[in-house]
Amino acid sequence: MKIYLITNRKLVSNEEEFLQVIKECSENGVDNIILREKDLGFDDLVKLGSKLKEVIDENKTKLILNSNIEGGIKLKAYGIHLPFQEFIKVDNKLIYSFKEVGVSVHSLEEAIEADKKGASYVLVSHIFNTECKKGLEPKGIDFISEVKKEVSCKVIALGGILPSNVEEVKDTGCEGIAVMSTLMKSKDIRSTLKEYRV
């Protein structure tokens, strides 16, 4: 099962620590890193993406850029990740220069539509309660299983996935999990990743 790290540099104290976290995640088995720093303008995002590429082993860990297609092209990113509403409006030729095209979905209907339009994977969320989505009812494990039955692309689960509940997620047959704060805040990334891989 693949592990995707979604970045959030606000969970660490500075850029140096951010890059160190990314480096350790790459060294210890994170398969894909989704660079998701929505507050950064184009130039700053590309600059940070370039630094990130310097610290990861691109043979093992792939860079996926969130939302910024032009930035992804400039960085020669492996993939692009888009919100569903953006994905359905975008010109196919532009996004299929990437090896992987991911789409965030929050319903079975969105997942089916994204799959039909050629998404490489759908990111289904949120599965469990999470700080990022306080007060919003989680979709639960069954949502992953429902999507798995209806789409041919990969299904990646996101939202409150911890080492303590990852087995339940694996049992749905999904192809991967996406994690943010558990890894960004981890004091021992190697151990945390080992717990996810159990």
Side-chain angles (χ1 to χ4, degrees), residues 9-73:
R9 71 192 198 290
K10 290 177 179 167
L11 295 176
V12 295
S13 50
N14 55 42
E15 189 180 278
E16 188 183 349
E17 189 185 343
F18 174 79
L19 291 170
Q20 185 57 35
V21 167
I22 300 298
K23 184 173 188 286
E24 285 183 40
C25 283
S26 176
E27 287 170 350
N28 290 287
V30 164
D31 301 284
N32 298 288
I33 291 170
I34 299 176
L35 182 59
R36 182 180 181 269
E37 303 296 334
K38 291 183 173 181
D39 60 318
L40 290 181
F42 181 84
D43 291 341
D44 288 335
L45 184 65
V46 168
K47 201 181 288 178
L48 184 62
S50 297
K51 288 178 183 175
L52 189 150
K53 283 184 85 175
E54 284 170 21
V55 301
I56 65 172
D57 179 346
E58 288 189 80
N59 294 316
K60 295 178 185 167
T61 309
K62 306 302 181 198
L63 171 63
I64 297 171
L65 200 64
N66 186 75
S67 284
N68 197 313
I69 295 168
E70 281 147 28
I73 290 167

Side-chain angles (χ1 to χ4, degrees), residues 140-158:
I141 286 289
D142 289 346
F143 180 51
I144 311 172
S145 302
E146 283 170 22
V147 172
K148 272 295 297 169
K149 280 182 204 152
E150 299 294 335
V151 302
S152 56
C153 66
K154 292 182 287 187
V155 177
I156 311 301
L158 166 69

